[in-house]
Amino acid sequence: MRRSLGHYVRTGYGGSSVTTQRFGSTAATAGALGGALAGAASGQPAAPGSPLDPALLAGRSVNEVMDAVVEAVRPVDGTQDAEAERAAIRDALSELLTRFPEADLLNLDPDQRGFAIERFTAIDVFRRFELDVGKTIVEKAPSAAAALARLKQVRDYVKQTVAASFRKLGEAGRTLTAGRIGQVVRDALRDTFDVFEGYAE
């Protein structure tokens, strides 16, 4: 698993710096997600026609609110990257509600927003990896069950590594504050890909 992640970064993209550039839209979308969640929590008026307009969301279900966040943060544009990011946002919000069952998606505290951004980043990295090399993993696995187990192992490991990168940045004072989210996420991605690239040595 570690070798495959190492070769993905080193051979597939030419190193951690290039891979980080390739994932620039992940950082940009993470910034948009953080901004949307912070804006909703602060009670800022939504732009006219925004999917996050409180008047449109009054009485809506959790799933409908998640859909609105996805639409506000990453509208459909027909690209694979957009579809991967839209799915990653939804998965991240679902995991947020598993971790914080009483959370209100439109009134998240800073820790909850940080968790959503971190988890979105990890899930998007995994989804891109799966798009790029998942077919090969499935074809080389002895069975469908083994393939699924391997992909789950990669997903869990990516989450752990990304979380460790965010923790390291947080301990150095690099927190996910407004206006800095995109840069912090880029730094976390670079740190993550540095770790992965080391496995190819």
Side-chain angles (χ1 to χ4, degrees), residues 81-161:
D81 283 359
E83 288 310 306
E85 288 176 5
R86 286 169 62 85
I89 294 168
R90 195 169 225 296
D91 287 353
L93 295 177
S94 294
E95 291 196 22
L96 167 74
L97 293 175
T98 299
R99 174 72 66 91
F100 305 100
E102 303 305 316
D104 175 355
L105 291 176
L106 298 178
N107 191 24
L108 298 177
D109 65 34
D111 286 344
Q112 292 167 342
R113 293 197 300 271
F115 178 85
I117 292 164
E118 174 202 304
R119 203 42 62 95
F120 159 74
T121 303
I123 293 170
D124 195 50
V125 169
F126 169 74
R127 282 188 172 275
R128 304 284 186 89
F129 174 84
E130 187 179 27
L131 278 172
D132 290 338
V133 300
K135 186 170 182 284
T136 301
I137 290 174
V138 170
E139 288 172 350
K140 291 188 174 181
S143 67
L148 288 174
R150 288 176 184 176
L151 287 170
K152 182 182 184 304
Q153 186 182 24
V154 173
R155 182 183 174 115
D156 291 345
Y157 188 72
V158 169
K159 284 181 186 177
Q160 292 168 14
T161 308

Side-chain angles (χ1 to χ4, degrees):
M1 176 194 71
R2 291 185 175 188
R3 277 200 308 274
S4 68
L5 288 167
H7 287 300
Y8 178 67
V9 171
R10 175 171 287 186
T11 307
Y13 285 112
S16 60
S17 61
V18 178
T19 311
T20 304
Q21 291 173 10
R22 166 68 178 82
F23 280 76
S25 66
T26 301
T29 299
L33 175 61
L37 295 176
S42 71
Q44 289 176 5
S50 167
L52 293 180
D53 183 340
L56 297 176
L57 294 176
R60 299 292 183 178
S61 69
V62 170
N63 281 327
E64 288 171 321
V65 173
M66 282 199 286
D67 288 342
V69 173
V70 171
E71 288 301 326
V73 173
R74 194 62 164 103
V76 173
D77 67 8
T79 64
Q80 266 194 335
D81 283 359
E83 288 310 306
E85 288 176 5
R86 286 169 62 85
I89 294 168
R90 195 169 225 296
D91 287 353
L93 295 177
S94 294
E95 291 196 22
L96 167 74
L97 293 175
T98 299
R99 174 72 66 91
F100 305 100
E102 303 305 316
D104 175 355
L105 291 176
L106 298 178
N107 191 24
L108 298 177
D109 65 34
D111 286 344
Q112 292 167 342
R113 293 197 300 271
F115 178 85
I117 292 164
E118 174 202 304
R119 203 42 62 95
F120 159 74
T121 303
I123 293 170
D124 195 50
V125 169
F126 169 74
R127 282 188 172 275
R128 304 284 186 89
F129 174 84
E130 187 179 27
L131 278 172
D132 290 338
V133 300
K135 186 170 182 284
T136 301
I137 290 174
V138 170
E139 288 172 350
K140 291 188 174 181
S143 67
L148 288 174
R150 288 176 184 176
L151 287 170
K152 182 182 184 304
Q153 186 182 24
V154 173
R155 182 183 174 115
D156 291 345
Y157 188 72
V158 169
K159 284 181 186 177
Q160 292 168 14
T161 308
V162 169
S165 294
F166 274 99
R167 277 196 305 274
K168 185 162 77 172
L169 289 169
E171 288 163 2
R174 304 291 310 287
T175 54
L176 291 164
T177 52
R180 295 176 52 191
I181 293 172
Q183 187 57 56
V184 172
V185 171
R186 274 189 290 276
D187 291 345
L189 286 168
R190 176 61 185 266
D191 187 72
T192 297
F193 296 139
D194 281 345
V195 171
F196 290 166
E197 186 177 12
Y199 298 146
E201 295 174 354

